[in-house]
Amino acid sequence: MKATIVGGGIGGLAAAVAFHRRGWQVEVLERAPEFSEIGAGLSIQPNGLRALDEIGLGDAVRAGGLADPPAGIRRADGNWLVRNDVGDLRRRFGPWVVVHRAALVDLLVAALPADALRPGAEVHTVRADGSVVHSGGTSTADVVVGADGVRSVTRRSLWPDHPGPRYVGYTTWRFLAPPHPVDGSVEIWGRGERFGHVPMPDGRVYCYLMANAEAGSRTGLAALRDRFAHWHAPVPALLDSVSADAVLQHDTHELPELPTFVRGRVALLGDAAHAMTPNLGQGACQALEDAVTLATTVDSRGVGAGLAEYDRIRRPRTRMIVRRSRQAGAPAHWAAPLAAVRDVALPRLPAALFGRSITPAYTWEPAR
């Protein structure tokens, strides 16, 4: 049996590893000239680690250094809006891990045979019969996995009448700052903008910023430093510690819901199926869940029944995560006077609210 995976990012490579471990022949088509990942840090939450355990890589990821759960949300002046019980979250759900995205890609690539990897293969068309037309010819497979991101060729090929990416109204910057003392994984909310910092095991700090903006607009580091200059420490220092070429900016998109993730012998996973806002940090974790679920259901039930079961399991769950992610981030982008109401209301909510709201995500168990 053969699986062809379109896209060599985290979700696609995880799917390839999952199928490979079950004895399938795999082929990964990646349009970039090499298998690598740009970006900064990545928080792998307990459900993502459980998915990595399923493909034998959980311990290798944990060996890079465990991390604490999110500590909470502050205002721009440093006062707490939401403060989580970090110890309780760790006891209930298990550890978090923070890695560089490229390090996780390297780990996944190393778990695959070299002849399974086909960089520089630009996919033109994917067909429901399991054939993929690309720059190197045509591949055929028992199962095709569309893991080619928010602007998926697979999705456009087989769901041509469904809308493409939808801009959610804010843009995102990411960078890795040199080692700097921070008080855990914290997000800071202003008026239509926010800043997050996450400590890495090696002392560096993964930082991200989001701000309301017109789609396609670009803001440089100097303007960001001015914009956040009066926020509480360590925000100004973290921005001052990096150079402009270390900061990545991308607009933030969602994909509208599909009626199914499956067409013929083809299944979508990760961002190609359910691109979501980054507010819960669940994008990569959901792609990992997709990958191991797909390989399990197809290998154990056969292609037709397995794809149907994958769709039955994954579509409602990812729809719920997409919705919760959108809701979780919306208050950060409110302007006055709603933001003022938010700042009064949030500190009065129960301290355990975060843990209760995220329980359905963190307690995921693999399909058997």
Side-chain angles (χ1 to χ4, degrees):
M1 301 292 283
K2 179 185 176 184
T4 292
I5 290 87
V6 181
I10 289 169
L13 290 170
V17 174
F19 276 105
H20 173 63
R21 285 173 60 86
R22 290 175 172 270
W24 285 52
Q25 178 188 355
V26 296
E27 174 187 40
V28 185
L29 304 173
E30 167 56 42
R31 69 177 180 177
E34 59 184 9
F35 286 83
S36 62
E37 179 74 57
I38 62 170
L42 174 65
S43 178
I44 305 178
Q45 299 167 8
N47 56 311
L49 285 172
R50 210 167 292 123
L52 287 168
D53 286 335
E54 289 293 298
I55 56 174
L57 298 178
D59 288 343
V61 171
R62 291 182 185 91
L66 302 181
D68 281 332
I73 303 170
R74 292 182 183 271
R75 294 191 325 200
D77 62 6
N79 289 321
W80 287 98
L81 292 172
V82 176
R83 193 162 193 176
N84 298 325
D85 185 334
V86 171
D88 179 64
L89 292 174
R90 194 188 305 111
R91 285 189 297 271
R92 290 174 59 195
F93 302 117
W96 272 244
V97 171
V98 180
V99 299
H100 195 288
R101 285 178 172 270
L104 180 56
V105 166
D106 289 346
L107 194 65
L108 292 164
V109 165
L112 291 167
D115 61 3
L117 304 171
R118 300 192 60 181
E122 183 164 0
V123 171
H124 304 306
T125 306
V126 178
R127 301 184 181 123
D129 64 1
S131 59
V132 181
V133 181
H134 54 85
S135 56
T138 300
S139 297
T140 58
D142 298 283
V143 171
V144 174
V145 181
D148 44 347
V150 69
R151 303 191 184 279
S152 168
V153 173
T154 310
R155 182 172 171 132
R156 291 201 306 271
S157 295
L158 295 174
W159 286 264
D161 297 329
H162 287 271
R166 176 176 59 211
Y167 182 57
V168 300
Y170 50 86
T171 191
T172 303
W173 298 264
R174 297 179 177 89
F175 63 87
L176 279 176
H180 191 94
V182 296
D183 55 349
S185 176
V186 173
E187 194 162 283
I188 305 147
W189 288 4
R191 302 290 193 265
E193 57 199 3
R194 51 184 152 148
F195 187 107
H197 56 69
V198 181
M200 302 279 288
D202 62 4
R204 291 181 297 171
V205 185
Y206 166 45
C207 300
Y208 58 90
L209 304 84
M210 301 179 192
N212 297 348
E214 294 293 326
S217 61
R218 289 295 175 261
T219 301
L221 179 59
L224 290 176
R225 286 172 174 162
D226 289 342
R227 183 170 189 163
F228 291 90
H230 300 295
W231 284 38
H232 78 89
V235 173
L238 290 168
L239 283 166
D240 287 341
S241 71
V242 294
S243 59
D245 59 2
V247 180
L248 302 172
Q249 182 181 357
H250 297 97
D251 285 348
T252 311
H253 293 88
E254 287 182 332
L255 277 172
E257 295 174 358
L258 289 175
T260 176
F261 290 166
V262 171
R263 280 279 165 84
R265 293 179 173 270
V266 181
L268 298 175
L269 68 71
D271 282 351
H274 46 70
M276 64 187 71
T277 59
N279 304 319
L280 296 180
Q282 276 286 316
C285 292
Q286 290 305 305
L288 292 168
E289 288 185 20
D290 288 346
V292 299
T293 303
L294 179 61
T296 298
T297 57
V298 169
D299 187 60
S300 62
R301 299 167 189 258
V303 172
L307 289 174
E309 180 70 356
Y310 166 76
D311 185 60
R312 185 191 70 80
I313 293 172
R314 294 305 301 162
R315 197 156 40 85
R317 173 166 171 78
T318 55
R319 182 176 295 173
M320 177 268 292
I321 299 291
V322 168
R323 183 178 65 252
R324 292 194 178 201
S325 183
R326 185 188 310 120
Q327 293 168 346
H333 295 275
W334 291 348
L338 279 178
V341 175
R342 174 202 72 195
D343 291 354
V344 172
L346 281 181
R348 300 184 181 186
L349 295 176
L353 182 63
F354 175 80
R356 290 202 300 268
S357 67
I358 204 62
T359 293
Y362 292 169
T363 53
W364 170 83
E365 293 290 340
R368 298 298 181 198

